[in-house]
Amino acid sequence: VEAVPRHEFLRGGFFRFLDLPGNASWERIIPQLSEREWLEMAYTDESLVTQLNGEVTPASGSRRIAGNPTSSSTLPSLVVRMLEDLHVAGGMRVLEIGTGSGYSTGLLCHRLGPERVVSVEVDPSVATQARAGLARVGYAPAVIVGDGLAGHPAGAPYDRVIATCSVLRVPAAWIAQTRPGGMILSTVSGLMGGSGLARLTVTRDGVAEGEFLPGDVSFMLARSQTAPPDLVLHLPDVDAEQRPCRADPTILDDPTGRFVAQLAAQDARHMRMSIQDGPVADYLVDPPSDSCAVLTAQPDGSFTVRQSGPVALWDVIEDTLTAWQAAGAPGVHAFRIRVGPAGQTIWLGGDGRVSNTTA
Ligand SMILES: C[S@@+](CC[C@H](N)C(=O)[O-])C[C@H]1O[C@@H](n2cnc3c(N)ncnc32)[C@H](O)[C@@H]1O
């Protein structure tokens, strides 16, 4: 960490979040403004956003801007924790997905030598900036522009694969490009925002199996897997049957609660909002089946649900949440993951009642 100066990967500047009500607003911080203040910020243990909306950089944007982060320099403590979790050692070849600023790539180069590191970044301009940062600290590893979900077969086999963007499903390509006994470390997320850091070991038959590690670790989803921003809501009729909820929807505020809910409805999305000045309610929407559930608070503090479409969304989510709670509501580290030709299965150790398989 001492040998790889983080500020050299932030020469293009970064954005600081301005916590203004109702306005996701960012202020750009560029080195010229105040070298000392900028350096102090570059060495805080925080993720520093370097790109918004897939195109806006501190150099291209105005001083203040609204937008969504699409590239960043991850907080150093998490970068280092993940390299430790990866059990990376001298002599290994590593494939990294999501080069970003290039800082984590730089640490890998220092440890292994740049010839043993391949990093894939989907955004060409981000990759160019990362190569420049790596060159400033003396490294020229292979930084490949492409969709990291395909890995980089030309550099295989790898001893380790590490992703600093998150995936809905661990790609078969990563397993195929990892030597038997090698490890894959990646956050596995869902469209409700639940996320867990998975570490899998690859077996000889092209299957990888492992565990989720402790802690709430989340990354931006791989660009090709990001949910489309627009949703069509086919709401239940106002006079549709209404039943009391068994599980309280505020459980979706809990990171593990979200993770478990996603297992039951992997394509569903969750919003808490008010429509046309109505009361704030929880909306669950499953675009593939065109199903929807609306959960509304009652004056006594309980909740009721109305559902529409072929899938009774809250029924299936509630069943899974209830089984998880009956098992003591353990954290994400109690779950296991297996990926192979049959798809991806995530399950809660023990009786396996809480589980999900996707193709
Ligand atoms: C959190 S940043 C990476 C941080 C980086 N490791 C560091 O230390 O600065 C995530 C990066 O993943 C990239 N990314 C998103 N989807 C990708 C994909 N499908 N393939 C490769 N890179 C992707 C984004 O463009 C972004 O630069």
Side-chain angles (χ1 to χ4, degrees):
V1 170
E2 286 179 355
V4 182
R6 189 188 191 204
H7 72 274
E8 292 296 1
F9 297 87
L10 293 164
R11 287 272 178 213
F14 48 87
F15 294 100
R16 178 166 57 181
F17 186 61
L18 300 168
D19 204 358
L20 305 175
N23 204 352
S25 211
W26 301 84
E27 178 184 35
R28 71 173 179 187
I29 307 291
I30 49 176
Q32 292 85 331
L33 282 181
S34 156
E35 180 80 5
R36 190 191 158 87
E37 191 192 10
W38 172 77
L39 277 174
E40 277 175 5
M41 291 171 90
Y43 284 96
T44 54
D45 190 24
E46 286 174 21
S47 290
L48 297 172
V49 172
T50 47
Q51 187 197 56
L52 297 167
N53 296 350
E55 55 182 10
V56 181
T57 62
S60 65
S62 48
R63 204 165 75 79
R64 286 192 175 177
I65 185 164
N68 290 317
T70 45
S71 192
S72 63
S73 167
T74 306
L75 66 161
S77 60
L78 178 57
V79 171
V80 172
R81 177 221 152 141
M82 285 176 65
L83 293 177
E84 287 175 349
D85 287 339
L86 190 65
H87 294 177
V88 69
M92 288 185 174
R93 286 183 56 74
V94 177
L95 171 66
E96 179 189 51
I97 313 298
T99 317
S101 70
Y103 177 61
S104 50
T105 324
L107 291 173
L108 280 166
C109 289
H110 178 76
R111 182 72 180 79
L112 304 172
E115 68 286 353
R116 295 183 175 275
V117 178
V118 176
S119 188
V120 184
E121 168 58 51
V122 74
D123 187 309
S125 60
V126 170
T128 302
Q129 287 272 344
R131 284 192 202 103
L134 286 159
R136 279 193 287 274
V137 298
Y139 301 123
V143 176
I144 311 292
V145 175
D147 186 348
L149 300 184
H152 184 62
Y158 304 100
D159 299 283
R160 299 285 185 266
V161 176
I162 179 169
T164 54
C165 58
S166 125
V167 292
L168 299 175
R169 279 172 279 285
V170 175
W174 296 358
I175 299 173
Q177 292 169 32
T178 304
R179 70 163 175 75
M183 285 179 181
I184 297 172
L185 185 74
S186 174
T187 41
V188 178
S189 303
L191 299 178
M192 287 191 205
S195 177
L197 180 61
R199 180 173 58 198
L200 304 99
T201 301
V202 173
T203 58
R204 283 194 185 281
D205 53 0
V207 172
E209 182 170 335
E211 64 208 319
F212 283 89
L213 303 178
D216 296 331
V217 182
S218 63
F219 279 94
M220 47 190 75
L221 257 180
R223 284 200 195 170
S224 42
Q225 297 191 332
T226 309
D230 296 328
L231 266 184
V232 178
L233 295 186
H234 291 128
L235 298 173
D237 292 336
V238 274
D239 53 2
E241 187 197 328
Q242 186 155 270
R243 70 159 177 88
C245 292
R246 282 180 290 131
D248 185 326
T250 55
I251 195 73
L252 300 176
D253 297 338
D254 175 72
T256 315
R258 282 198 293 277
F259 183 83
V260 173
Q262 281 165 187
L263 296 181
Q266 69 208 25
D267 296 309
R269 289 162 67 183
H270 169 237
M271 290 144 287
R272 183 167 295 147
M273 60 182 182
S274 144
I275 293 183
Q276 289 173 347
D277 295 334
V280 172
D282 287 88
Y283 293 83
L284 289 140
V285 185
D286 182 52
S289 69
D290 213 359
S291 302
C292 181
V294 183
L295 296 95
T296 315
Q298 300 304 304
D300 66 357
S302 67
F303 286 84
T304 59
V305 59
R306 284 178 294 124
Q307 306 186 75
S308 64
V311 178
L313 261 187
W314 190 245
D315 289 13
V316 290
I317 292 174
E318 199 170 46
D319 283 351
T320 306
L321 283 170
T322 309
W324 167 65
Q325 285 172 320
V332 76
H333 59 275
F335 288 77
R336 293 194 59 79
I337 179 168
R338 180 182 168 88
V339 187
Q344 172 173 292
T345 303
I346 296 175
W347 75 98
L348 182 59
D351 68 6
R353 272 197 306 153
V354 181
S355 77
N356 159 272
T357 300
T358 50

